[in-house]
């Protein structure tokens, strides 16, 4: 006499949560690692060279304005390091959004909440790190421009 027990509780699926967590980890890696690895491979120019170049551009702008001529900015080629950093930034934000989407889908399909939460936190963290690096870069650029403008006597 065999009885089949069908009363065992069905475990919720984990597929979307696991995929979302993996995508979230990749997004976090794309957000953090290039900011450490790319400068080692493609070192940025020295700070004094950047400040001098910015000063020359500002001086050329002021001279063009005084002469009443429209300023023609010289074409600047992107460095390989900058191209890699921009690609990594776009990748990190895209993967972060995908991890959040997979987290939401995991919740909609009633998958395990822990993995969905992990995927959402990893995706959100990757996006937050990217935004913070952009904000830090903008603040540094503003500080450099302020120093250069102060040196040439605009303030």
């Amino acid at each position: 006499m065999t009885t089949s027990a069908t009363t065992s509780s069905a475990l919720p699926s984990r597929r979307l949560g696991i995929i979302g967590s993996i995508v979230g980890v990749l997004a976090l890696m794309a957000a953090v690692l290039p900011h450490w690895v790319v400068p080692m491979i493609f070192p940025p120019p020295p700070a004094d060279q950047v400040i001098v170049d910015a000063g020359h551009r500002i001086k050329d702008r002021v001279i063009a304005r005084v002469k009443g001529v429209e300023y023609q900015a010289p074409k600047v080629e992107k460095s390989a390091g900058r191209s890699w950093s921009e690609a990594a930034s776009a990748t990190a934000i895209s993967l972060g959004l995908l991890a959040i989407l997979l987290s939401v889908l995991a919740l909609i399909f009633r998958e395990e909440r822990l993995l969905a939460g992990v995927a959402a936190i990893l995706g959100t963290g990757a996006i937050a790190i990217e935004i913070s690096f952009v904000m830090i870069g903008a603040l540094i650029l503003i500080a450099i421009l302020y120093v250069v403008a102060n040196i040439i006597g605009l303030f």
Side-chain angles (χ1 to χ4, degrees):
M1 188 185 295
T2 60
T3 60
S4 63
T6 57
T7 60
S8 65
S9 62
L11 293 174
S13 174
R14 296 177 165 189
R15 184 178 316 142
L16 290 174
I18 291 173
I19 294 171
S21 296
I22 291 170
V23 170
V25 167
L26 292 175
L28 207 54
M29 288 171 52
V32 174
L33 286 181
H35 296 287
W36 292 332
V37 175
V38 170
M40 284 188 248
I41 298 171
F42 306 106
D48 57 347
Q49 180 184 356
V50 173
I51 292 172
V52 168
D53 291 343
H56 287 301
R57 284 194 303 266
I58 291 172
K59 182 183 78 170
D60 293 341
R61 247 179 235 251
V62 170
I63 291 172
R65 180 175 230 153
V66 168
K67 289 182 178 179
V69 180
E70 184 178 337
Y71 175 71
Q72 296 288 331
K75 292 282 184 181
V76 179
E77 292 183 26
K78 283 186 187 178
S79 66
R82 185 172 178 189
S83 297
W84 276 95
S85 292
E86 288 176 0
S89 178
T91 301
I93 291 174
S94 300
L95 288 175
L97 289 173
L98 182 60
I100 293 170
L101 173 69
L102 289 169
S103 170
V104 169
L105 289 176
L107 290 175
I108 289 173
F109 290 120
R110 299 181 187 264
E111 290 191 3
E112 188 174 328
R113 288 184 175 196
L114 178 64
L115 287 172
V118 167
I121 289 172
L122 288 171
T124 305
I127 293 170
I129 287 172
E130 272 309 310
I131 290 172
S132 70
F133 278 122
V134 169
M135 296 302 281
I136 289 170
L139 290 174
I140 290 172
L141 180 66
I142 289 169
I144 289 172
L145 290 176
Y146 179 76
V147 167
V148 169
N150 200 12
I151 289 172
I152 63 173
L154 289 179
F155 291 119

